[in-house]
Each structure stands twice: as C-alpha cells, then as structure tokens.
Amino acid sequence: DVKVTQSSRYLVKRTGEKVFLECVQDMDHENMFWYRQDPGLGLRLIYFSYDVKMKEKGDIPEGYSVSREKKERFSLILESASTNQTSMYLCASSSDNPLATTYNEQFFGPGTRLTVL
Amino acid sequence: KQEVTQIPAALSVPEGENLVLNCSFTDSAIYNLQWFRQDPGKGLTSLLLIQSSQREQTSGRLNASLDKSSGRSTLYIAASQPGDSATYLCAGSTSNQFYFGTGTSLTVIP
C-alpha cells in the first residue's frame, strides 16, 4: 500500500517564525503536491513537483516555498509565518507511469493542522 | 480553468438508504476521476479511481461512474451505514493537475 507521511499532525507557531512541513512517500512516485484546506474554500494547490529539484507554482504560492532534494521527500516552507496561514496542510503523491495500476491516482498524507498565533 | 461542483453540499439520510452524490466539471476534457472520503480533521482516503479508458468502478457498496461527454460523475452508495458519515470529494485530473470539488458532507442516521 502507498504510504504518505507528514512530519507533524499538529503544529503551533508564532507570527514571523520560519516553519518547515515535511512529507515523505514510499512508492517511488514522481509527482508530489502540497495543498491547504480551509472551510468553504476546499483544497487549494500551493506547489507541486514532478521530479527531483523541480517545482511548479500552484494557485496560491505566495508566502510559501518548497524543496525537493530527494524523490521521496517534499518540504513546504513558510518563510515568515502569518496568522492567515493557519490552516490544514495536506501532502499528496501520484505516479507518472502510464503502466502503473495507480497511474495518476493521488494518495494523501494525514494532514498537518498548523496554527499561527 | 476547470471548476468542479458537488451537489448537494450536505446530505442526511436514515441508515439503509441508497444514495447518489454528484460531481460536475466545467471542462469535460478530464483524464481521470477520483473519489475520496475525508473524516473530520483527517487526510483524504482514495475510494475509487476511474481512469481515462473506463466509465465506472466498483468497490463493495460503492459504485462510481463517469460521463465525459457531459462532464459528470456520480458516486452511488448502497445500503448506507453510520460509518459512511464523512465528507466525500471528487477530483478530476488533466496531466499533472488535479481539480477538487468542495465536497458533500454525508450524515447517516442510525
């Protein structure tokens, strides 16, 4: 079974702090994604990566950056946390191999509930 | 940009009922269609994936269908149980992009 893990389930930070959220997948997936989920707004894509050291902006990249130094790990960085970044953060991965039975199927981690005070 | 609508936004049914959740897309040129379940405060669990060459998928009491020509998908849940209470989201994909609906919140009353 695909497993996507996130470094923390709950995180409380102060305004201005630098915050790292880490995501690891164990299925050798090429694609990895970071979303945030807020009530009434659904899931919004922050960044995604289709290969090591590659990244693409999603719909709401402002205030965030990402790092993908290894295929299995995708990090989301809040350079200077603000209260409007309080949210649920969800990481996902998917396969780019058309021969895989799970081709283009997204698998999600358990989420990190971040509160910025 | 692809927009995804899920109707109804909330649904409450007595245990044992069959029910249908709806998902529609503004751009019918989607590749795959995936249905997820989300429990409060948790991540998304994949339920069914309909790939581009398929029209429906079944898993246990769940059946999902996809009509690309109309840009619509339905999730059918048979003989609903209280444990089915959750939010259900659909997502369509085009290459590496995934587009999510805002979900249907389902409550199954014992």
Side-chain angles (χ1 to χ4, degrees):
Chain A
D1 278 352
V2 175
K3 193 167 182 184
V4 181
T5 57
Q6 294 183 228
S7 50
S8 306
R9 290 298 311 278
Y10 300 95
L11 211 52
V12 179
K13 295 292 182 180
R14 299 219 173 263
T15 302
E17 279 193 77
K18 191 168 185 176
V19 182
F20 293 86
L21 303 182
E22 302 240 306
C23 175
V24 177
Q25 50 94 4
D26 67 358
M27 277 299 291
D28 202 36
H29 282 173
E30 295 78 11
N31 303 322
M32 296 188 75
F33 308 80
W34 274 107
Y35 298 89
R36 63 177 284 178
Q37 185 178 34
D38 301 286
L41 297 177
L43 269 78
R44 293 180 290 167
L45 181 65
I46 304 172
Y47 269 96
F48 70 98
S49 168
Y50 53 87
D51 202 352
V52 175
K53 295 192 187 296
M54 307 301 287
K55 61 185 179 185
E56 293 283 342
K57 292 180 180 179
D59 299 320
I60 50 163
E62 297 79 19
Y64 303 94
S65 62
V66 290
S67 171
R68 189 148 181 220
E69 296 297 318
K70 293 186 178 181
K71 192 175 185 181
E72 66 270 19
R73 188 180 299 268
F74 192 33
S75 302
L76 180 69
I77 304 153
L78 287 67
E79 297 289 343
S80 178
S82 63
T83 54
N84 63 12
Q85 292 179 308
T86 291
S87 186
M88 170 71 104
Y89 289 87
L90 293 164
C91 174
S93 71
S94 71
S95 169
D96 223 9
N97 179 2
L99 299 178
T101 56
T102 60
Y103 171 56
N104 218 27
E105 180 176 3
Q106 279 202 318
F107 295 87
F108 279 81
T112 295
R113 171 72 64 184
L114 172 68
T115 302
V116 183
L117 301 174
Chain B
K1 183 187 169 182
Q2 180 75 265
E3 303 229 345
V4 183
T5 303
Q6 289 190 246
I7 294 173
L11 182 62
S12 185
V13 300
E15 182 177 1
E17 260 197 26
N18 303 325
L19 58 102
V20 175
L21 307 181
N22 297 289
C23 173
S24 62
F25 298 83
T26 53
D27 181 353
S28 59
I30 60 169
Y31 189 76
N32 285 355
L33 191 289
Q34 194 170 357
W35 281 93
F36 295 89
R37 169 191 173 128
Q38 186 176 30
D39 293 291
K42 302 287 180 62
L44 278 65
T45 300
S46 180
L47 296 173
L48 291 164
L49 171 71
I50 306 175
Q51 294 186 323
S52 61
S53 59
Q54 301 169 329
R55 296 191 66 176
E56 68 175 326
Q57 279 287 337
T58 298
S59 176
R61 294 181 294 107
L62 306 180
N63 174 273
S65 65
L66 174 61
D67 182 350
K68 286 190 178 182
S69 63
S70 65
R72 291 175 184 268
S73 177
T74 59
L75 178 66
Y76 176 82
I77 303 177
S80 58
Q81 301 171 357
D84 295 331
S85 298
T87 296
Y88 292 81
L89 295 98
C90 65
S93 66
T94 55
S95 69
N96 289 330
Q97 292 277 352
F98 293 82
Y99 301 92
F100 286 83
T102 51
T104 294
S105 176
L106 173 65
T107 302
V108 181
I109 304 164

